[in-house]
Amino acid sequence: MSQHEEFMLEAIRLARQGMNENQGGPFGCVIVKDHQIIASGYNSVLSSLDPTAHAEITAIRQACQKLQSFQLTGCTLYTSCEPCPMCLGAIYWARPDRIYYASSRKDAAYAGFDDEFIYREIPVATEKRVIPFVQLKLEHARDIFREWINKIDKTEY
Amino acid sequence: MSQHEEFMLEAIRLARQGMNENQGGPFGCVIVKDHQIIASGYNSVLSSLDPTAHAEITAIRQACQKLQSFQLTGCTLYTSCEPCPMCLGAIYWARPDRIYYASSRKDAAYAGFDDEFIYREIPVATEKRVIPFVQLKLEHARDIFREWINKIDKTEY
């Protein structure tokens, strides 16, 4: 068995554990650096009453605490299922090197998880989405971005 | 001034506060139910070393704890800037009724925030993304979804 498969089997083991403990849906994730698992997670949306507590988000937050960095350079993420848009976004902000996933978003949809629906909503015009996103233009709203650009002591990320 | 504008000005005030305290980028959010702010947040990616600590994620998690629910039915979310894909996903999982945003993703891009880049990556074939998403097919990976479907004591979400 390849090391990739071993890490993926651990992600799937976590998915099954979280599901059987009624923590949340059947999703698990591990993050690997230098051939070692440095963080892991399973979906705990139900037990933590936190809709953002997906396996990938949980593992990313844990890995960043471990590395004391908001970037996961040099890390590989193994997830039991293709990430939903929220987790995809989190991955892009955390910037690991590479993602491996086992099941696809279609498999998740078959089990009743809305990932595919959210993907379809993204290109829809903001006001026409199922959850409408309405722009409220305020005269000085954008000033804050100019303040950010001009801020001398900022850390860019 | 409309109540919508008042809530949005509070989101912008939080954005500025977080930026000035070096918590993170200039982004703020409030969540309103029954005309009252029940939760709020600003970006604290830098101070918490958590790439998922965007204003919307922080406010959603807080609102869910307050309501003791993983769903934000009946809530409206006001955010100083159009949500990034991660926060859009979180919004769809939390299901508030409506989103108001002030600045657009183009304004954010102007200030150096990668939201627009992440939006462009989503429709790209998974293996061809800047961060490659590679499917590692394992023979029994999908079994867990059948186990979920057959699980008698599950809470669907």
Side-chain angles (χ1 to χ4, degrees):
Chain A
M1 189 185 298
S2 76
Q3 221 186 8
H4 288 317
E5 286 175 338
E6 273 178 49
F7 292 135
M8 188 61 86
L9 285 176
E10 174 62 8
I12 294 171
R13 190 193 67 72
L14 286 162
R16 185 168 276 116
Q17 181 188 335
M19 173 178 70
N20 288 336
E21 290 176 0
N22 290 321
Q23 307 273 1
F27 303 95
C29 177
V30 301
I31 295 177
V32 170
K33 190 171 189 181
D34 299 331
H35 309 282
Q36 300 276 345
I37 293 175
I38 60 161
S40 63
Y42 45 64
N43 183 302
S44 63
V45 167
L46 299 172
S47 60
S48 62
L49 297 176
D50 177 359
T52 75
H54 283 199
E56 297 94 323
I57 299 268
T58 303
I60 286 170
R61 300 177 79 206
Q62 193 184 103
C64 287
Q65 291 310 307
K66 189 131 180 190
L67 299 177
Q68 283 292 294
S69 169
F70 52 82
Q71 298 285 269
L72 296 179
T73 315
C75 295
T76 305
L77 188 148
Y78 295 80
T79 176
S80 63
C81 186
E82 187 180 354
C84 78
M86 174 177 72
C87 294
L88 179 149
I91 286 165
Y92 271 86
W93 290 117
R95 302 189 183 90
D97 291 353
R98 205 175 179 82
I99 312 303
Y100 289 98
Y101 66 95
S103 299
S104 73
R105 63 174 91 169
K106 287 197 171 55
D107 299 324
Y110 161 77
F113 294 97
D114 269 351
D115 307 34
E116 176 65 24
F117 164 69
I118 302 176
Y119 274 111
R120 284 199 307 271
E121 283 284 284
I122 290 173
V124 174
T126 54
E127 299 214 8
K128 295 189 172 163
R129 291 183 184 144
V130 170
I131 300 177
F133 283 51
V134 181
Q135 188 167 23
L136 189 68
K137 287 196 180 181
L138 290 187
E139 200 183 347
H140 297 297
R142 291 191 305 176
D143 291 355
I144 200 166
F145 287 122
R146 206 168 313 117
E147 292 170 35
W148 173 263
I149 289 167
N150 294 332
K151 186 170 160 63
I152 293 167
D153 64 338
K154 69 174 175 283
T155 304
E156 294 193 64
Y157 64 92
Chain B
M1 189 185 300
S2 76
Q3 221 186 6
H4 288 317
E5 286 174 339
E6 273 178 48
F7 291 135
M8 188 61 85
L9 285 176
E10 174 62 7
I12 294 170
R13 189 193 68 73
L14 286 162
R16 186 168 277 116
Q17 181 189 333
M19 172 177 70
N20 288 337
E21 290 176 359
N22 291 321
Q23 307 273 2
F27 302 95
C29 177
V30 300
I31 295 177
V32 171
K33 189 171 190 183
D34 300 330
H35 308 282
Q36 299 277 346
I37 293 175
I38 61 161
S40 64
Y42 46 64
N43 183 301
S44 63
V45 167
L46 300 173
S47 61
S48 63
L49 297 177
D50 177 359
T52 74
H54 283 199
E56 298 94 325
I57 298 268
T58 303
I60 287 170
R61 300 177 80 206
Q62 192 184 103
C64 287
Q65 291 311 305
K66 190 132 180 188
L67 300 177
Q68 284 292 294
S69 169
F70 53 81
Q71 298 285 268
L72 295 179
T73 315
C75 295
T76 304
L77 187 147
Y78 295 81
T79 175
S80 62
C81 185
E82 186 180 353
C84 79
M86 174 177 71
C87 294
L88 179 149
I91 285 164
Y92 272 85
W93 291 117
R95 301 188 184 91
D97 292 353
R98 205 175 180 81
I99 311 303
Y100 289 98
Y101 65 94
S103 299
S104 73
R105 64 174 90 168
K106 286 197 173 53
D107 299 324
Y110 161 77
F113 294 98
D114 269 351
D115 307 35
E116 176 65 24
F117 163 70
I118 302 176
Y119 275 111
R120 285 198 307 271
E121 284 283 285
I122 291 174
V124 174
T126 54
E127 299 214 10
K128 294 189 173 163
R129 291 184 184 143
V130 170
I131 301 177
F133 283 52
V134 181
Q135 188 167 23
L136 189 67
K137 286 195 181 181
L138 290 187
E139 200 182 348
H140 296 297
R142 291 192 304 176
D143 291 354
I144 200 164
F145 287 121
R146 206 169 311 117
E147 293 170 33
W148 173 261
I149 289 167
N150 294 331
K151 186 171 160 63
I152 293 167
D153 64 338
K154 69 173 175 284
T155 304
E156 294 194 64
Y157 63 93

